[in-house]
Amino acid sequence: MKNVKEITVEVKGKDWESAIDKAFNKKKKDIKIDGFRKGSVTKEIFIKKVGIESLFMDAADIVIDAEYQKVIKDEKMEIVCEPNVSIEKIDKDGITIKFTLIGRPDVKLGKYKKLGVKKDKIEVKPEEIEHEIHHIMEHMAEIVVKEDGKVENGNTAVIDFEGVVDGKKLDGGTGANYPLEIGSKTFIPGFEEGVIGMKVGEKKVLKLKFPEDYTPELKGKDVEFTVTVREIKERVEPEMDKDFFEDLGIEGVDSKEKLETHVKHEIEHQKEHQVEDKYIDELLRKATDNMEVDINNEIIESEIDRMARQFEQELKMQGASLEQYLALVGTKMEDFRTTLKPQAIARLKTRYLLEEIIKVEKITSTKDEIKAKIKEESEHYGMSEEEFVNAIGGEEMIKYDVEMNKAIDILKEN
């Protein structure tokens, strides 16, 4: 491929001797040889006792790092992922290293303007407004004791229960004063349905069967649960009165009509973002389909690495690990990486498309535009401008983002 370049470097003589010395000095403090205190053996004695070959790989690491820095300084290509490094030859006289460098692939733009993509119209239906208001009412509802009546769907039944399988008490299948929300599907199929219609103080035996996808020792087995209802609670939605609107705390909303107007505007705002995202996605899909780019597998794997690290960081913020996630979904790391591949390719194509448009259209950004973007984003994330710039990786990243958005604006030209 045109964006792949192989460079062979030889290091010998004094430079290789210097690397051997550095490798020895690095290992020296941990070396223990009979007759010498730990860390006091000379290089000559060490080589005689252990062999110079034991220093080769540490010396190679020192040389590879230094030579790679020289290579990327001398080469004019834009290196986009870690190079492949192979040691062609290594002995007491020197080392021969081959660097395989991968640069940005060539991009041939196809049609990227007047793509014929239409933005969806935004419509908010009355039932959507009602649905959202119902959610608000549910959120503000009080849970109160149901003085009489029976357990209904949506109620919380406070129950005692005991499970029996094969005539024996079910391990972990006993509870007292357990608050079971009917409809939550917390228990096995048939349990919550069996509690519906029970009254406070009533006892009932539920004859059920564990589902086939349950634990191996219980799947498909018959089970009897003895259930006693201790208390029934229900959600009572508030009246739309003065107190309700005060508790709601939305400025200027003090009536049902104003709440409906507010909710409509909120839904419209949300849909505007969804419609815009869909519109841009479709533009990018069409433009990337029209372009030609041959992406090296190494670049794809590097992008998958980046995505996996990002996902791992998100899990850590939620108090979980990638290993726990893989165990939970029942997959291996290799299979997880395979699922990321299509998205990684799409992201790379989008990146190369927009970067090429920036180049072809000679897109630039001004200091004022960068400052305005920093101000907008720092306010959005509730950070100081300095904190945001440091978090994002410097002003150069803001510049890049501004110019990428300008490239997207060009895609919108119809």
Side-chain angles (χ1 to χ4, degrees):
M1 296 175 81
K2 289 182 181 179
N3 64 323
V4 177
K5 189 170 185 179
E6 291 183 348
I7 296 173
T8 301
V9 176
E10 285 187 351
V11 177
K12 49 190 178 180
K14 289 183 179 179
D15 289 338
W16 182 236
E17 287 175 17
S18 175
I20 294 284
D21 286 342
K22 288 177 182 176
F24 171 73
N25 289 330
K26 182 180 175 183
K27 293 184 85 169
K28 183 179 178 181
K29 62 181 184 298
D30 298 318
I31 295 170
K32 178 69 176 75
I33 290 179
D34 291 344
F36 292 87
R37 295 192 316 277
K38 186 177 180 180
S40 65
V41 67
T42 64
K43 187 179 81 169
E44 290 72 20
I45 297 294
F46 173 79
I47 290 173
K48 187 176 179 180
K49 293 280 188 181
V50 182
I52 195 171
E53 295 81 6
S54 64
L55 298 173
F56 283 171
M57 293 318 296
D58 283 330
D61 287 341
I62 293 165
V63 167
I64 287 169
D65 184 57
E67 292 302 315
Y68 178 60
Q69 296 305 316
K70 291 179 187 176
V71 165
I72 59 176
K73 186 177 179 181
D74 294 341
E75 293 301 317
K76 302 304 178 186
M77 66 190 296
E78 181 188 342
I79 300 168
V80 295
C81 62
E82 287 294 314
N84 185 358
V85 182
S86 61
I87 297 173
E88 303 292 290
K89 180 185 174 185
I90 188 167
D91 57 29
K92 63 182 179 61
D93 297 319
I95 183 172
T96 303
I97 311 154
K98 184 169 77 175
F99 295 100
T100 304
L101 307 178
I102 299 172
R104 184 178 182 275
D106 290 335
V107 176
K108 185 178 179 182
L109 288 174
K111 185 177 181 180
Y112 61 90
K113 294 179 184 178
K114 298 183 179 179
L115 294 170
V117 178
K118 301 296 180 186
K119 192 185 290 190
D120 292 343
K121 291 183 179 178
I122 296 168
E123 181 187 1
V124 180
K125 297 177 181 178
E127 52 265 35
E128 292 178 288
I129 298 171
E130 289 175 17
H131 180 74
E132 186 58 33
I133 289 176
H134 176 65
H135 269 302
I136 293 171
M137 300 296 282
E138 274 194 329
H139 178 71
M140 297 182 69
E142 285 186 80
I143 298 175
V144 298
V145 175
K146 196 173 181 178
E147 298 298 341
D148 50 30
K150 302 175 181 179
V151 176
E152 298 177 49
N153 194 31
N155 288 169
T156 295
V158 181
I159 60 171
D160 296 342
F161 63 93
E162 182 177 282
V164 175
V165 175
D166 296 333
K168 295 180 181 178
K169 196 173 175 180
L170 176 64
D171 186 28
T174 301
N177 292 316
Y178 183 90
L180 174 63
E181 184 180 342
I182 307 301
S184 64
K185 297 182 180 179
T186 307
F187 281 41
I188 64 171
F191 190 100
E192 292 173 31
E193 292 83 351
V195 177
I196 291 175
M198 291 180 68
K199 296 180 179 180
V200 173
E202 184 178 348
K203 181 183 284 190
K204 188 176 182 180
V205 177
L206 306 178
K207 295 185 178 182
L208 306 173
K209 189 182 285 286
F210 282 104
E212 291 298 326
D213 60 354
Y214 212 70
T215 55
E217 65 273 13
L218 291 174
K219 65 178 184 178
K221 282 199 169 189
D222 292 325
V223 58
E224 288 188 1
F225 282 101
T226 302
V227 181
T228 304
V229 175
R230 296 298 180 194
E231 191 175 52
I232 304 170
K233 296 180 180 180
E234 62 181 339
R235 301 177 72 89
V236 178
E237 293 184 359
E239 295 289 330
M240 278 201 186
D241 54 18
K242 183 181 177 182
D243 291 337
F244 167 79
F245 290 113
E246 284 180 359
D247 290 341
L248 190 60
I250 300 175
E251 189 176 349
V253 175
D254 56 9
S255 68
K256 183 181 179 183
E257 291 73 22
K258 289 181 180 179
L259 177 59
E260 287 172 343
T261 301
H262 172 81
V263 167
K264 183 182 179 183
H265 288 157
E266 288 291 307
I267 296 173
E268 282 175 342
H269 184 64
Q270 185 181 13
K271 285 192 172 188
E272 281 170 4
H273 283 290
Q274 292 170 348
V275 165
E276 181 70 10
D277 288 345
K278 182 184 173 186
Y279 175 57
I280 292 171
D281 286 345
E282 184 62 16
L283 287 168
L284 291 169
R285 187 190 65 77
K286 279 203 167 188
T288 53
D289 284 349
N290 292 341
M291 81 175 183
E292 293 177 22
V293 62
D294 195 3
I295 305 175
N296 313 62
N297 191 58
E298 291 88 347
I299 297 177
I300 295 169
E301 289 299 314
S302 180
E303 184 66 19
I304 291 172
D305 288 341
R306 188 180 291 110
M307 291 170 66
R309 286 195 301 270
Q310 185 179 0
F311 184 69
E312 189 171 18
Q313 286 300 317
E314 290 169 359
L315 287 172
K316 281 182 180 178
M317 289 172 70
Q318 298 170 31
S321 68
L322 185 56
E323 290 75 17
Q324 289 170 328
Y325 170 80
L326 295 176
L328 185 65
V329 298
T331 192
K332 297 177 182 176
M333 186 63 182
E334 185 180 348
D335 296 328
F336 171 66
R337 289 179 64 87
T338 300
T339 64
L340 294 178
K341 189 169 183 178
Q343 189 184 348
I345 293 171
R347 281 171 58 158
L348 288 165
K349 283 184 175 181
T350 296
R351 188 182 306 154
Y352 293 138
L353 168 84
L354 296 176
E355 287 176 350
E356 192 66 15
I357 290 173
I358 289 169
K359 179 181 171 184
V360 169
E361 297 283 347
K362 296 181 173 56
I363 293 171
T364 58
S365 54
T366 66
K367 288 184 178 180
D368 286 343
E369 287 171 330
I370 293 168
K371 284 181 180 178
K373 185 68 174 175
I374 292 170
K375 186 175 187 297
E376 177 191 336
E377 293 296 325
S378 61
E379 287 175 357
H380 175 75
Y381 289 105
M383 303 166 74
S384 72
E385 292 186 8
E386 186 180 354
E387 285 172 336
F388 174 73
V389 170
N390 290 335
I392 205 74
E395 282 196 17
E396 194 61 32
M397 292 302 296
I398 312 294
K399 179 179 184 294
Y400 180 79
D401 191 43
V402 168
E403 291 173 3
M404 291 288 265
N405 284 327
K406 285 186 177 185
I408 289 172
D409 287 339
I410 286 175
L411 291 178
K412 295 176 184 178
E413 293 179 9
N414 283 311

